[in-house]
Amino acid sequence: MAKKDDTLQKEILEIRSKLSDIHTDLKRFFEQSNLQHHESVLSGIQKDFSKVIIGHVTEDINDGLERNMVRNCEMRDTCKSVFTGFLQNNTSLIKQKNVDEGIISEKSLN
């Protein structure tokens, strides 16, 4: 009878160990799922805000240049086109999560 009790006790300990492993795996799975969900939500928010900001900046480029450029200049259309292209090209940086300082320096020197 003692041998049966020992075997039963051993099986119970093995079952508890396996349940503990399953619990740990499930906990890790849920934590990773939650993290992925949060990252997905944040990514979506970033994209939505980026679109809104880029739309506003794009509208402001034309209005700002039109208001602030010298009126009677033969180069006005050329300069406006160059500045518009430069500013619109830089709006693409808004979409990026991180912008390297080197890129910022490079853009400011051009």
Side-chain angles (χ1 to χ4, degrees):
M1 191 71 134
K3 188 171 182 177
K4 263 189 174 182
D5 288 342
D6 288 344
T7 304
L8 188 59
Q9 196 69 8
K10 186 177 177 185
E11 287 178 4
I12 290 173
L13 290 174
E14 287 176 5
I15 291 171
R16 283 185 180 170
S17 176
K18 288 190 187 285
L19 282 174
S20 177
D21 290 345
I22 292 170
H23 179 261
T24 301
D25 290 344
L26 284 172
K27 187 176 176 183
R28 188 177 311 121
F29 172 77
F30 286 124
E31 287 171 354
Q32 289 174 350
S33 294
N34 285 337
L35 180 62
Q36 288 173 351
H37 176 71
H38 290 303
E39 288 174 353
S40 175
V41 168
L42 288 175
S43 177
I45 290 171
Q46 180 187 10
K47 286 177 186 175
D48 290 345
F49 278 123
S50 294
K51 287 178 187 176
V52 170
I53 291 169
I54 289 171
H56 176 71
V57 168
T58 302
E59 287 178 22
D60 198 43
I61 288 171
N62 191 40
D63 294 343
L65 289 176
E66 195 61 44
R67 254 190 331 253
N68 296 308
M69 290 184 72
V70 175
R71 295 266 178 231
N72 300 326
C73 177
E74 60 186 52
M75 296 293 294
R76 179 181 168 86
D77 290 338
T78 303
C79 291
K80 184 177 178 184
S81 175
V82 169
F83 278 120
T84 299
F86 172 77
L87 295 170
Q88 285 179 338
N89 183 36
N90 285 332
T91 60
S92 66
L93 298 175
I94 293 171
K95 294 179 185 177
Q96 298 178 13
K97 280 189 174 187
N98 296 314
V99 179
D100 186 73
E101 286 186 43
I103 292 173
I104 294 171
S105 295
E106 180 183 307
K107 297 280 185 181
S108 67
L109 295 176
N110 289 333

